[in-house]
Amino acid sequence: MSRTLEVCIFTEPQQGASYDEQLAQAQQAERLGFDGWFRSDHILHMGAGDPMPGPTDAWTTLAGIARETECIRLGTLVSPVTFRHPGLLAIQVAQVDDMSGGRVELGLGAGWFGAEHAAYGIPFPERRFDLLEEQLQVVTGLWRTPAGDTFSFPGEHYDLVDAPALPKPVQSPVPLIMGGGGRTRLPALAARYATEFNRGFSDEDEIAASFARVRAACEAIGRDPGTMKLSVALPTVVATDDAAYLRRLDAIHADPDTFAAMNVAGTPEVAVEKIRRLADLGADRVHLQLVDQRDLDHVELIAAEVLPHLG
């Protein structure tokens, strides 16, 4: 590792976490020196376990945390295009960016979890990639429009007429994260719009292949691939003994026979080795998925026993 690797906490509050629990984890991550705190944007519990107290809205949560932290980066992995109109999303993100003093990052994707849409009566069209492409155009177009000018967009799915394109975010541009395993259209869109490309929940060969595809897509449009931050998101369980390791796996209903196959799993030394391999594949940032937000000792352990060995 010849460069500085960013390490962020990534969590899934729909699995059962209140605002106060999310805030506590984000503040601890900031205090312990993590680079960012990112959350999923889901509104329905998945799999086994207790869903209480129920879902929290991602951008409402981030707005609150923005006012109660000072330096940590904050964002979504990722917001689905089905949840919000892009005009409203641009306003929300710009406002939270202002509330944070310029620390927000927008992760945006096509969405995949049909059950949460059915549960809350949200339309879930079968073909969503065109929605994603138009949302990228609208959100970035609104932010780029000079103050005093207006923005119009005659799209197939969204039609904006003379929008004042306000408010403006503090950052220009706001970091925009895209990710996934798509082989053609996704890398092309990421090369055009994203500042970060993320590959999550995959083995090292798949991560390397995705990174290669997005680099090639950048080159195809004349963009320097070095301007694209590359990142990985993986479920993470670290412990110093077998009992604690199994307890943490049980808390998130993970299978001890399969969890370690591609995730960040095991002792701090094993976690360091895994993260170093991800950096060697080209990752500039690693998002460590910690689902049990009540286990603040877990964050403390990673900060004490893993972070110092990644510099």
Side-chain angles (χ1 to χ4, degrees):
M1 289 175 52
S2 59
R3 66 194 184 285
T4 301
L5 178 70
E6 295 181 25
V7 182
C8 303
I9 300 298
F10 163 43
T11 193
E12 304 269 357
Q14 79 279 353
Q15 297 303 95
S18 67
Y19 169 76
D20 286 340
E21 288 166 336
Q22 293 174 68
L23 173 63
Q25 188 188 53
Q27 288 179 324
Q28 186 189 44
E30 178 175 72
R31 178 177 60 82
L32 294 175
F34 289 89
D35 295 288
W37 185 87
F38 289 77
R39 58 155 288 165
S40 61
D41 195 350
H42 287 296
I43 53 174
L44 189 66
H45 183 273
M46 303 173 191
D50 183 359
M52 296 301 290
T56 51
D57 177 72
W59 286 101
T60 303
T61 300
L62 290 168
I65 292 175
R67 301 301 292 174
E68 301 195 63
T69 53
E70 296 181 357
C71 61
I72 197 166
R73 306 293 299 177
L74 301 168
T76 52
L77 278 182
V78 294
S79 290
V81 296
T82 48
F83 279 8
R84 302 170 188 88
H85 188 283
L88 178 60
L89 180 63
I91 291 170
Q92 290 173 313
V93 177
Q95 182 177 2
V96 180
D97 195 45
D98 179 57
M99 295 168 72
S100 71
R103 293 184 284 121
V104 157
E105 306 189 17
L106 170 61
L108 194 62
W112 63 270
F113 191 26
E116 67 186 341
H117 294 73
Y120 285 92
I122 300 169
F124 189 64
E126 184 174 335
R127 298 177 63 84
R128 299 179 301 282
F129 222 84
D130 289 343
L131 296 177
L132 174 60
E133 184 166 9
E134 287 197 12
Q135 286 218 5
L136 290 165
Q137 294 176 70
V138 170
V139 171
T140 58
L142 286 166
W143 288 339
R144 285 198 308 263
T145 299
D149 289 354
T150 60
F151 174 81
S152 296
F153 181 81
E156 180 181 349
H157 302 282
Y158 307 105
D159 189 8
L160 285 72
V161 179
D162 295 335
L166 296 172
K168 299 301 183 194
V170 173
Q171 300 174 94
S172 183
V174 173
L176 200 156
I177 306 168
M178 298 180 65
R183 294 179 174 272
T184 306
R185 193 173 179 187
L186 177 64
L189 279 181
R192 185 176 174 188
Y193 293 103
T195 59
E196 176 178 337
F197 178 82
N198 177 266
R199 183 65 197 261
F201 312 105
S202 303
D203 64 30
E204 292 175 27
D205 288 343
E206 293 172 322
I207 291 166
S210 289
F211 285 177
R213 286 194 290 268
V214 80
R215 289 192 192 101
C218 288
E219 291 172 348
I221 63 170
R223 175 178 174 179
D224 177 2
T227 64
M228 176 72 78
K229 182 180 290 186
L230 300 174
S231 68
V232 178
L234 287 176
T236 299
V237 172
V238 179
T240 56
D241 59 75
D242 290 345
Y245 178 69
L246 292 173
R247 185 173 63 251
R248 287 190 167 122
L249 286 177
D250 184 65
I252 62 173
H253 306 280
D255 184 349
D257 294 329
T258 60
F259 186 82
M262 68 181 185
N263 297 321
V264 180
T267 64
E269 293 78 14
V270 171
V272 169
E273 291 174 2
K274 173 69 173 183
I275 295 169
R276 284 178 171 172
R277 290 201 303 274
L278 297 175
D280 289 341
L281 292 176
D284 304 294
R285 172 186 269 182
V286 175
H287 298 267
L288 302 178
Q289 187 201 49
L290 303 182
V291 175
D292 184 1
Q293 295 187 244
R294 299 172 181 88
D295 188 0
L296 297 182
D297 288 343
H298 198 187
V299 182
E300 192 93 32
L301 174 65
I302 295 169
E305 303 293 337
V306 176
L307 290 190
H309 303 286
L310 299 176

